[in-house]
Amino acid sequence: MRDRLTDDGAMNDLRIRTAAPADLDAVLAFWKVAAEGTSISDDRDGVERLVARDPEALILAERGGELAGTVIAGFDGWRCHLYRLAVHPDHRRRGVGAALLTAAEERFVRLGGRRADAMVLDRNDLAHHTWRAAGYAPQPEWSRWVKPLES
């Protein structure tokens, strides 16, 4: 993904870019403030593996030089998966989430993806609005089954 600026109608332009290894500590700290829930892979090693394996998967939004949002747009060659859509509380309801989802979807189309799915916490009502506005809907006939691989 190329670094790009979007004119989102706000006072400052929003910069969308992929994360670099130097961004990872800031991203982890950001998720503690902006993301709902935690994951077993929310650590330096997990995020380093993600960026090493797929350097364009972790997409960042910056406004005024500050991290405003993130999304992970993972593609395994068959399916498109969205994780960690998080927007800093000070930047919510200003188009950051929508801009990140647009960038992720554009990435998926370039890679040949045909459908995107998203991990969204059932209790995160604020996020539900964002996902629905972007055209996503829950798929009630499916459940997520999980098995931790580390003890």
Side-chain angles (χ1 to χ4, degrees), residues 10-151:
M11 252 191 249
N12 296 318
D13 286 335
L14 190 64
R15 179 181 179 211
I16 304 292
R17 67 177 179 87
T18 55
D23 296 312
L24 303 188
D25 289 331
V27 167
L28 288 164
F30 175 82
W31 286 343
K32 289 179 181 177
V33 172
E36 290 287 326
T38 58
S39 167
I40 195 170
S41 54
D42 286 354
D43 61 18
R44 178 73 188 205
D45 289 340
V47 180
E48 279 179 345
R49 279 191 302 276
L50 168 70
V51 172
R53 182 181 178 281
D54 188 350
E56 295 186 356
L58 179 53
I59 302 171
L60 308 180
E62 296 174 327
R63 179 173 276 139
E66 293 182 13
L67 190 54
T70 67
V71 70
I72 296 173
F75 182 65
D76 61 14
W78 184 39
R79 293 200 176 154
C80 307
H81 305 285
L82 294 162
Y83 310 92
R84 278 291 177 238
L85 176 63
V87 177
H88 192 281
D90 294 342
H91 294 277
R92 290 184 181 154
R93 304 198 55 79
R94 295 174 56 197
V96 175
L100 285 164
L101 289 177
T102 296
E105 292 166 359
E106 289 171 355
R107 176 184 199 282
F108 291 151
V109 168
R110 281 192 315 272
L111 294 171
R114 297 173 20 195
R115 180 184 73 184
D117 65 49
M119 298 295 299
V120 183
L121 288 171
D122 288 340
R123 70 177 189 265
N124 191 347
D125 293 328
L126 183 61
H128 296 178
H129 173 78
T130 300
W131 288 105
R132 286 186 198 283
Y136 291 79
Q139 195 171 14
E141 65 272 18
W142 291 92
S143 294
R144 180 177 181 217
W145 293 35
V146 177
K147 177 184 177 185
L149 300 176
E150 296 179 6
S151 54

